[in-house]
Each structure stands twice: as structure tokens, then as C-alpha cells.
Amino acid sequence: MAAPSSEVERQRDKERTRAEILAVATREFADKGYAGARVDEIAARTSTTKRMIYYYFGGKEQLYVAALERAYATIRALEQDLDVDHLEPEDAIRQLAELTFDHHEANPDFIRLVSIENIHHGEHIARSEALSGMANPALDVLTRILGRGREAGRFRDDVDALDVHMVISSFCVFRLANRHTFSAIFGRDMLDPARREHYRLMLGDLVIEYLTA
């Protein structure tokens, strides 16, 4: 039997409330870090209460882990849904690199959260069952691209999907995480819109040159 409309609406309200809390919590943790973030402040900036946040998530640490899971799930879903099996291997790799470039630029809080979690030596993310296997489908996409490139004799055979993921991620994370120090030292803003397409093309060129060296 279908659930009564009132029950369906309650479920929708619950999902909307959780989503709102997570969105605000993500910004709070990204701005102030795990130690500096306050559940009271998160509650004040949402249409809920501290008690309700604890009801939904259990506590501050669980809320922080949920924010991490949500942030990673977004990029992993985009990677998994990328339709590149019909493209030439070089074009497929370039599209994947550009997807990561675009996502990271549009989601600076993701970069801040990852940086904060590394300050904590990954202790919270290591306890997340959801995150432990979340990257596998995305790596499967890369593995298929690399396999097609090797079969065609165009890609080197001494690198794996995780190597390529690391190269792409390194470029995209550095551009966001080190923007201000890089600008202070070298006088160049890596997020200058006038240089955006230059860097986006540069990333793809770097990965392709490495794979075809």
C-alpha cells in the first residue's frame, strides 16, 4: 500500500531539514574547522534546533562525518555518471580531468573540508563506512579508460587509475587550497577568470602527456 500523504510529507520535511542542516554545517566546518565549529551556530542558521540536530545526527562528530560524506558523494556521483565510453581514450581522460577541475572550483568548501580532515590525520573519515568504498566506481571509470588506451597502444602500462586520480586531484586541489599564498608570493591569482581556460586545458595536457610519454 502507498504511504498516506501526511507520512510522505513528513518524510520529505525530514529530508529537507537534514539537507539544510548539512549545507549549513558544511560551511561552518569549512570556515572554522572541526574544533572551531559550533552546533549552536549551525542551529541558529537553520530552521531547527540544537536538540533536533542531535536527533538527526547524534552529535557534532557525526554531523561532521555526514558533511564529509555528503561532500565526497557529490564528486563521486559526477565521476560515476560521466559518459565517456564512446570517446577516444585521450578525450575521455580530458573530460574526466575537466569535470574534477570544474567541480573543485565550484565547491571550495569541499577543498577546505578535505584540508581540515587531513589536519586531523583522516581520523574521522576513517571511521565512515559510507566513504570506505565510495571511490571504487569512480576508479572503475578511470580503469576502463586506461585499459582502452593501453589496448590501442596509446597509453603507457606502468600507471594505474589511482596514479591518474592523484595527478588530477593534486592540480585541482592545489589551485584552490594554495590560492592565497601563491598569490601573495608570486602575484598571480590562480582563480583569475582570464586564466581559467588556460589552466583547464593545461591540466588535460599534463595528464595526456604523462600517459602517452
Side-chain angles (χ1 to χ4, degrees), residues 17-191:
T17 300
R18 278 182 57 89
E20 181 188 9
I21 293 170
L22 281 174
V24 173
T26 296
R27 175 56 55 87
E28 179 76 3
F29 287 123
D31 286 347
K32 300 177 182 176
Y34 176 71
R38 295 287 178 266
V39 176
D40 286 327
E41 180 65 22
I42 295 169
R45 292 165 55 196
T46 61
S47 56
T48 186
T49 64
K50 182 177 180 179
R51 180 180 177 184
M52 187 61 69
I53 290 175
Y54 284 138
Y55 169 77
Y56 280 125
F57 296 97
K60 178 181 177 180
E61 181 177 3
Q62 293 94 324
L63 177 59
Y64 171 67
V65 171
L68 281 169
E69 290 172 347
R70 175 178 177 266
Y72 273 101
T74 300
I75 179 62
R76 295 290 91 93
L78 290 172
E79 292 166 340
Q80 187 176 353
D81 291 343
L82 188 65
D83 182 16
V84 293
D85 287 340
H86 63 290
L87 298 177
E88 293 296 315
E90 293 88 348
D91 294 332
I93 284 288
R94 191 178 291 277
Q95 279 209 17
L96 181 60
E98 290 173 351
L99 179 146
T100 306
F101 183 97
D102 294 343
H103 169 272
H104 286 17
E105 181 180 79
N107 296 275
D109 283 350
F110 172 73
I111 306 301
R112 297 189 188 103
L113 280 178
V114 172
S115 299
I116 289 163
E117 182 57 9
N118 275 286
I119 291 173
H120 291 278
H121 306 289
E123 63 181 86
H124 303 96
I125 207 171
R127 292 198 285 270
S128 168
E129 294 182 5
L131 285 167
S132 61
M134 194 178 288
N136 292 338
L139 291 179
D140 289 343
V141 174
L142 252 176
T143 298
R144 291 200 305 272
I145 298 171
L146 294 177
R148 291 195 291 116
R150 293 190 190 103
E151 289 173 7
R154 286 141 66 174
F155 284 176
R156 59 196 298 171
D157 59 7
D158 60 344
V159 297
D160 61 21
L162 199 54
D163 289 332
V164 179
H165 173 75
M166 182 175 65
V167 172
I168 294 171
S169 180
S170 297
F171 186 99
C172 296
V173 171
F174 183 92
R175 182 168 169 262
L176 272 293
N178 294 62
R179 174 190 184 184
H180 300 294
T181 52
F182 196 90
S183 178
I185 294 170
F186 298 108
R188 175 178 291 181
D189 182 1
M190 290 186 286
L191 265 64

